[in-house]
Amino acid sequence: MITTSKALYTDKCAEITNEENIIIAKWSGFLNLESTKKGCDAMVEYVRKNKITKHLSDQSTLKVLSKEVQGYLVGEAFPALDRAGLRKLAVLVSEDVFAKATVDNVNSATMMGNIEVKTFNSRRECVDWLNE
């Protein structure tokens, strides 16, 4: 199978692409607010323009999220993605227990709205669920 990928945003903390109508964000290290906002803004715009409903958030190499970034994601980014039309969010989690705890904290708050969020331990599980 040939996978086509289109880069939407890249910096030291994020690489966001579209692969076969799934927005894939690979988050790395300690996210700063500016980078997170730019990456999320790119996703919202792309979801809206292209009617994308599925997102894989790869947080397997993510470090602990600051309260500031957590607040932005819950209060602004996820509601904007919901309004733009996103409906399914698969989260690939980190093995790091502290990073996983902050990710779980954010994801539990995003169960509101129309976005269904599920957490997985493998990319294959994420993609399979998104394509159900």
Side-chain angles (χ1 to χ4, degrees):
M1 176 171 79
I2 297 172
T3 301
T4 56
S5 176
K6 177 182 179 186
L8 308 178
Y9 178 81
T10 304
D11 72 11
K12 68 181 178 77
C13 298
E15 180 181 320
I16 302 170
T17 58
N18 174 33
E19 295 179 22
E20 299 175 12
N21 291 320
I22 298 173
I23 295 284
I24 299 179
K26 171 78 173 157
W27 303 99
S28 302
F30 293 96
L31 300 186
N32 66 52
L33 187 59
E34 183 181 337
S35 172
T36 305
K37 283 183 175 183
K38 286 179 181 177
C40 289
D41 287 349
M43 282 195 293
V44 168
E45 192 61 30
Y46 195 83
V47 164
R48 181 181 299 119
K49 284 183 178 176
N50 296 281
K51 301 190 183 343
I52 302 293
T53 59
K54 301 178 278 189
H55 173 38
L56 190 164
S57 183
D58 182 344
Q59 301 173 4
S60 60
T61 59
L62 186 64
K63 301 298 181 193
V64 177
L65 293 174
S66 70
K67 290 285 185 197
E68 186 179 46
V69 170
Q70 290 181 55
Y72 165 73
L73 291 171
V74 172
E76 296 179 46
F78 288 115
L81 284 164
D82 184 11
R83 288 189 302 273
L86 192 73
R87 294 297 169 256
K88 289 178 93 172
L89 169 58
V91 180
L92 180 57
V93 292
S94 172
E95 299 278 330
D96 180 311
V97 67
F98 298 108
K100 186 178 183 318
T102 59
V103 166
D104 288 344
N105 183 43
V106 169
N107 292 339
S108 66
T110 63
M111 298 302 285
M112 303 175 293
N114 299 300
I115 302 173
E116 184 179 2
V117 181
K118 285 199 178 184
T119 303
F120 300 94
N121 297 103
S122 79
R123 185 178 170 117
R124 179 83 261 149
E125 288 175 308
C126 290
V127 172
D128 288 348
W129 176 73
L130 288 170
N131 287 325
E132 284 179 352

